[in-house]
Amino acid sequence: MTEIQPTIFPLSTTFNIKVKNKTARVGVIGLGYVGLPVGLLFARNGLPTTGFDIDPAKVERLEKGETYIRHIPASVIAEQVGKGGFRATTDFALLKEMDAILICVPTPLDQHREPDLSFVRNTTEAIMPHLRRGQLVVLESTTYPGTTEEVVLPILEKSGLKCPILPYATDGSRVTAPQQPAGDFLLAFSPEREDPGNKQFQTHQIPKVVAGVNAPSALAAQALYGQVFERTFVVSSTRAAEMAKILENTYRCVNIALVNELKLLCLRMGIDIWEVIEAARTKPFGFTPFFPGPGLGGHCIPIDPFYLTWKAREYDFPTRFIELAGEINSAMPEHVVASLRGALNRRGQCLQDARILILGIAYKKDIDDLRESPSLRIIELLKQNGARVDYHDPYFPRLHRMRKYDFGMVAVEPTAEALASYDAVVIVTDHSSYDYADIVRNSRLVIDTRNATKEVEEHRERIVRC
Ligand SMILES: NC(=O)c1ccc[n+]([C@@H]2O[C@H](COP(=O)([O-])OP(=O)(O)OC[C@H]3O[C@@H](n4cnc5c(N)ncnc54)[C@H](O)[C@@H]3O)[C@@H](O)[C@H]2O)c1
């Protein structure tokens, strides 16, 4: 194998020149938590960017320079829209004007907990009639290994244009390959590592893993992302890149399950799991802290590992770690409810008819995303047990209808008077805006699933950590 000379792959060479000149037009499909920041990143770096979404309300708001994601300021959108660097549209015919098309649509599980690739399929079908020679298509949605080659590629090739799957080698930065027959378009996979609400890392600072179905596709993706990300890391196949993303999320899922299980043991043994983790994390090597909680939430950690489980069945391979972690994590809301029931019983009360206030609906602190949030399952369980439930979350003044839940609830302000009127307050999400000392001072009983009250000194007898 020889190191690639730029001239060997005219398709990627032409593409790379456009990227370097900042004349490459970038299209981002799916303007959600992942697509919108990525689109704005390209726009801010001078690559003319168009965002595509099927939701006309989102497109309309973006075109007015407004935001619908709390941690993405309207000023950033307004600046790029004003300059003409970013525009949003529902008109997919404009895809043919794009040089690169990034797919950032949802990859949820269906009601049987199997991968629902309908968003990816529909988007790819929408690209196909507009696909043209020299375009780069990149799948960014998290999915099982094989999706780019087995699902996206065949749909795109229905256009009559070809993109052969061919081997290449890489050490992470250099791509090496034998001379390869030219394809018509370029196809890559590059997983998104967006961490909403994380103030430590901005999108461009998080290294971007990229891979192509062949060497020119890998080179084009490397050039594109290298223009806006501080670091890219090329792997030798889209399947390896897809697996890398699932590994990252499975690693979190399994380790969170481990500390959740140890928390249950520690509670029985009268040991403070939070103190244990603080002690263990002083080890300067070989230990990464994970924290227990009320259960997993978000679009990624509770879902992505099961994409792999589903694919592994094709290879007659049981993913036992994933299944066990899923079992432990998904039992945590039941544990929270059992702890609440026990605490009420010890006070001579029962859950039936008890008035309960849930604090925090978002799946993690300081963000406005409630997908898969354990709060929703906890509310469902409490209602099933006859409790009278209210909630508060600074980011959700009301609970709209969701795919699985329709509570029709409106947030209750946690004033001193309101807090005192509940039999128990359950802290499910530890938003920074809450005054935890105030919450404990004014509540009769506080169930703390996040160790949010650790600094509270007064009335600790009212706190039950679970
Ligand atoms: N949210 C995260 O923190 C995060 C992090 C890393 C990876 N991911 C992955 O990124 C992908 C996208 O997740 P997200 O959180 O941004 O989802 P999201 O729901 O916030 O956004 C998806 C957007 O796609 C749009 N959409 C749906 N179908 C479409 C179609 N056919 N054509 C055009 N637009 C369409 C929706 O209207 C929505 O605006 C998923 O695969 C997810 O697993 C998410």
Side-chain angles (χ1 to χ4, degrees), residues 29-30 32-34 53 58 107 123 141-142 192 194 196 299 371:
I29 307 182
Y33 287 89
V34 163
D53 206 291
K58 282 188 177 159
T107 42
T123 303
S141 302
T142 308
E192 191 46 60
E194 189 67 21
H299 187 314
R371 289 176 291 179

Side-chain angles (χ1 to χ4, degrees), residues 383-436:
K383 283 179 178 267
Q384 283 168 358
N385 279 276
R388 290 181 289 152
V389 192
D390 286 316
Y391 85 94
H392 175 266
D393 190 299
Y395 305 112
F396 296 98
R398 58 184 61 244
L399 291 184
H400 293 291
R401 188 154 186 252
M402 291 158 260
R403 231 149 74 130
K404 194 164 159 201
Y405 300 106
D406 187 10
F407 296 129
M409 292 165 81
V410 176
V412 170
E413 272 311 304
T415 59
E417 208 181 14
L419 288 167
S421 72
Y422 288 94
D423 296 307
V425 171
V426 185
I427 301 168
V428 185
T429 317
D430 50 342
H431 287 306
S432 311
S433 57
Y434 286 135
D435 180 337
Y436 292 102

Side-chain angles (χ1 to χ4, degrees), residues 41-299:
L41 179 62
F42 279 105
R44 281 208 308 275
N45 280 277
L47 285 109
T49 304
T50 306
F52 297 79
D53 206 291
I54 47 169
D55 182 346
K58 282 188 177 159
V59 167
E60 205 174 300
R61 294 194 69 178
L62 293 173
E63 282 291 275
K64 283 192 210 151
E66 294 174 6
T67 188
Y68 45 81
I69 297 179
R70 202 186 67 84
H71 63 273
I72 303 176
S75 56
V76 176
I77 298 168
E79 188 192 349
Q80 293 309 322
V81 171
K83 275 191 202 163
F86 181 84
R87 64 177 171 163
T89 183
T90 53
D91 180 3
F92 282 65
L94 294 176
L95 285 171
K96 65 171 139 338
E97 294 175 11
M98 303 298 126
D99 296 295
I101 299 171
L102 318 183
I103 304 173
C104 305
V105 294
T107 42
L109 294 172
D110 67 14
Q111 65 271 39
H112 306 296
R113 294 195 65 73
E114 295 195 344
D116 173 4
L117 279 183
S118 60
F119 297 90
V120 171
R121 281 206 182 86
N122 291 343
T123 303
T124 314
E125 292 282 358
I127 297 171
M128 188 266 289
H130 308 292
L131 192 68
R132 61 172 174 76
R133 208 183 132 69
Q135 270 180 328
L136 168 69
V137 177
V138 188
L139 179 63
E140 289 219 11
S141 302
T142 308
T143 183
Y144 59 78
T147 309
T148 308
E149 290 179 1
E150 295 162 16
V151 177
V152 176
L153 181 59
I155 297 176
L156 294 179
E157 287 194 334
K158 284 199 291 183
S159 64
L161 298 175
K162 297 289 165 212
C163 181
I165 300 171
L166 297 165
Y168 62 89
T170 172
D171 62 359
S173 57
R174 280 175 322 126
V175 172
T176 50
Q179 196 130 12
Q180 296 184 349
D184 299 310
F185 66 96
L186 304 152
L187 178 60
F189 178 80
S190 179
E192 191 46 60
R193 286 166 158 171
E194 189 67 21
D195 184 15
N198 187 328
K199 295 193 174 75
Q200 201 185 345
F201 297 103
Q202 294 178 11
T203 307
H204 71 280
Q205 294 171 314
I206 305 168
K208 195 83 168 109
V209 171
V210 298
V213 299
N214 49 35
S217 299
L219 284 167
Q222 184 187 31
L224 179 71
Y225 290 106
Q227 193 71 25
V228 299
F229 282 83
E230 279 177 9
R231 188 178 166 216
T232 58
F233 187 88
V234 190
V235 291
S236 66
S237 69
T238 52
R239 300 165 84 239
E242 289 157 337
M243 189 64 144
K245 173 69 188 179
I246 300 258
L247 167 62
E248 291 167 20
N249 286 355
T250 301
Y251 171 79
R252 281 191 65 72
C253 176
V254 166
N255 279 288
I256 292 169
L258 174 66
V259 288
N260 274 335
E261 187 175 69
L262 290 181
K263 172 181 78 172
L264 299 184
L265 175 62
C266 283
L267 279 168
R268 287 200 188 182
M269 295 177 77
I271 297 169
D272 179 348
I273 182 71
W274 298 90
E275 184 188 6
V276 171
I277 296 168
E278 285 311 310
R281 73 188 297 189
T282 60
K283 184 179 178 183
F285 47 85
F287 183 84
T288 304
F290 289 85
F291 301 97
L296 293 182
H299 187 314

